[in-house]
Structures are given as structure tokens and as C-alpha cells.
Amino acid sequence: MTIALPDGRRSEIAIGGRIRDIGKYAGEKRVFILTNPEVFELYGDAFPAGAAVVLLPPGEKNKTLDTVSAAVSRLIEEGADRESLIAGVGGGIVCDMTGFIASIYMRGVRFGFVPTTLMAQVDASVGGKNGVNHEGYKNMIGVFNQPDFVLCDTETLRTLPERELKSGLAEVVKSALIADAALFEYLENRLGDILERSKEVLDFIVERSLRIKAKIVEADEREAGERRKLNLGHTLGHAIEKLSDNAFLHGEAVGAGLALAARLSNRLGLLADGELSRILRLLTAAGLPVAVPIEIALLLEAAEKDKKKQGDSLHFVLNKGIGDSIVKKMSCGELRALFGDAG
Ligand code: NAD
Ligand code: GLY
């Protein structure tokens, strides 16, 4: 699969690629791998021979400029230059930071990803959003820059803790909800196989989710319109992550955000009762929260400060049945009133 942007930039996505395939993209270039200690322990043996390795500390709290700065120091020590290739091997946090570091290191070097979580395979590694958090606000500092390549090796998902697998599923459910009713039905029918990590089923859901994302990114790389749909569940999801001090994983917060958006869509007459029930049932079966112990007013207050706010309004994504969505610009007051009894 390829993401082909109107100005000719391309990003190659290989579903079924392997970590050692990084070498194929390097040519004569020296490879610098950014990863974290856990992923290095599991997959370091498969890194291409001769690649220099820079370890990033794990966790959302470390997705910061301080970590970026420390990684840049290590790249300088290791002798990375403008002709080097930087590869991020790991989950969404490694991918987000690697893309950002590669974009600013010596004003930009070539980079690619080997995503090793479901979250990173179906979402974080693709689409060119790279960035870090700032003072607890998600992804406040960052760039749009497409990786040269993404190697999705679903075999690596075998070692992923179940909670992380379920967290990644939230983004697959999101993709199905915004654009693919058949994928939603597939998830309903094959959830057991996903949780058992059937390679065939994992390859299918990764491919299907990425097709949706690729099409949207090709049409609207910089999120001026259509791409906002990819934020279904995220406006409140990010607020949940912030207010819970990251007690909820990203995907868990998104799951709860999807449930809140679905309830509101139902209240607005955009989603039938039966469809709302199916969404809540699938999220619950996938082990994702459909409610959080945080008042909706507090979530909206945090969302107001989020970067997606424009003036007094938020672009809130709503379900239009299952497999379609709309973006509605709503004031925070309007959202507060509407959520009055839909929260
Ligand atoms: P993560 O990167 O923290 O990875 C989860 C955990 O799994 C980590 O402890 C990691 O060490 C471990 N791990 C990774 N691969 C493993 C494997 N194969 N086996 C065993 N353990 C493994 O979390 P995540 O859910 O992958 O990513 C979340 C981040 O991604 C958030 O910061 C989120 O904002 C970001 N994100 C970005 C985008 C984007 O478009 N840029 C999209 C979605 C999510
Ligand atoms: N994760 C949302 C986006 O890539 O736009």
C-alpha cells in the first residue's frame, strides 16, 4: 500500500514487513534505530547488523521535548548525519517521537517506522503526525512529515500485553465507525480471533484500517477538513488521558470517547438505538471502558484547552449510523448543554 500525496511525496506501507527489512530502505546509508528498552529486549536481535541503537524512555509522560533533546544528543554522539536513516521500532510513543526527532535533526533526515503495537500499526505510524506532549497537553508540539516507509509486522503483536492489544483495538473500531460498516461487522464476528492473535485476522484489520486512513490522509494531509473524522472519540479521549493523569491508556481513553460520541450522536438522532447498543456492546467486549469516573463538564473544560479548539468552538466528530460520520463545529456551551443527559 502507498500513501501518495498530491505533491508527489510517497510513503510505502508494507503489511507483513519484518524488522530486518529496514536494511532494504537504507541503501548505503547508516541506520540509527530509536526504540525503547522493552522493545529492544524483545526484538533487538532482529535489528539490522551495524545499526546504532538509541533507547527512548517508555511512557506517555516521557513523550516530551526533554526526551527529544536527550535523543538528539545521543544521535550526535553516535555520529548520525544528514545522510543517515532513522528508524523508529516500537509503539505509538516511539513512532511519534522518532518522526519528530528525524524531522528536526539537522533540519530533517529520512525516516521510517516498524510499529510493534496494534495502536501504532493501525494508526500512529501512518499519516505523518509526529510530535510530543507539553505540560500534560497531548501532541502540542509537532510536525506533519510522512515517513518513507512503514513495516507492519503483525507477528510482533504476539508479545503484546492483552491490555495494549485491546487499547489498539479502539482505533480499529474508530476506523470502522467513521468509514467501514463491513469492518465493524467483521470486528463483531471475529473479536475472539483477534484476541487470540490470529495472524490472518490481524493482517486483515491492519490493512483495512490503514486503507481508510490512507485515503483520508491523501485527501487532507493537514487536517483542514476530512481528516478531522479521524479524531472521532479523541476530543474527549485526550481530556480523559489528561484528567486521569494517564491512568487510562490512549486507546482506553479513545474507547470511552467513542462511547460518549455515540451517545451524543444517538441523542441528536444521527445514530439509531440499535446502532448505539452495537457500538457499546463491541467496545465492552473488546475490554474498553464505555464510561469514566470523570464529570463530563470537567472533560469539556479540558477539551476546550485542547489544540483542536478554534475560537469558541470545537470540531466534534459524530457518528452518522455505523460506517459514516460527520464533523460538527459546536461551541463548548452547546456541547455542555447537549451532554447534559447524554453523558
Ligand atoms: P506505547 O508506545 O506506549 O506502547 C505500549 C507498550 O507496549 C509500551 O510499554 C511498549 O514498550 C510495549 N510494546 C511495544 N511493542 C511491543 C511488543 N511487540 N510486545 C510487547 N510489548 C510491546 O503505546 P501505543 O498504544 O502503541 O501508542 C500510544 C501513543 O501513540 C500515544 O502517545 C498516542 O498519542 C500516539 N498516537 C499517535 C497517532 C498519530 O497519528 N501520530 C495515532 C494514534 C496514537
Ligand atoms: N490519529 C489521528 C490522525 O492521524 O489524524
Side-chain angles (χ1 to χ4, degrees), residues 122-139:
V122 298
D123 198 352
S125 63
V126 167
K129 280 187 183 176
N130 314 278
V132 294
N133 305 329
H134 183 68
E135 293 177 359
Y137 289 101
K138 290 273 299 178
N139 308 324

Side-chain angles (χ1 to χ4, degrees), residues 36 38 60 63 92-93 96 116-117 119 129 138 156 159:
N36 78 15
E38 202 171 357
E60 196 65 46
K63 198 174 107 173
I93 291 181
D96 276 6
T116 60
T117 62
M119 169 68 65
K129 280 187 183 176
K138 290 273 299 178
T156 60
T159 54

Side-chain angles (χ1 to χ4, degrees), residues 200-267:
E200 176 215 332
V201 173
L202 288 172
D203 281 349
F204 180 84
I205 62 171
V206 170
E207 154 114 35
R208 201 78 173 214
S209 304
L210 289 185
R211 286 214 178 279
I212 294 163
K213 184 155 187 182
K215 193 166 164 224
I216 291 178
V217 170
E218 284 177 347
D220 176 26
E221 184 192 18
R222 299 227 158 207
E223 200 175 305
E226 188 71 3
R227 187 165 181 167
R228 292 190 180 120
K229 290 184 177 174
L230 292 173
N231 294 326
L232 178 66
H234 284 60
T235 305
L236 295 177
H238 285 173
I240 292 167
E241 281 182 273
K242 180 168 172 28
L243 294 185
S244 73
D245 202 19
N246 297 307
F248 290 93
L249 297 177
H250 177 66
E252 292 169 343
V254 168
L258 291 174
L260 284 164
R263 288 195 182 99
L264 188 57
S265 307
N266 173 254
R267 189 172 166 69

Side-chain angles (χ1 to χ4, degrees), residues 136-156:
Y137 289 101
K138 290 273 299 178
N139 308 324
M140 265 297 167
I141 299 170
V143 295
F144 285 96
N145 193 11
Q146 301 296 334
D148 285 6
F149 63 87
V150 178
L151 306 176
C152 282
D153 181 352
T154 53
E155 296 277 352
T156 60

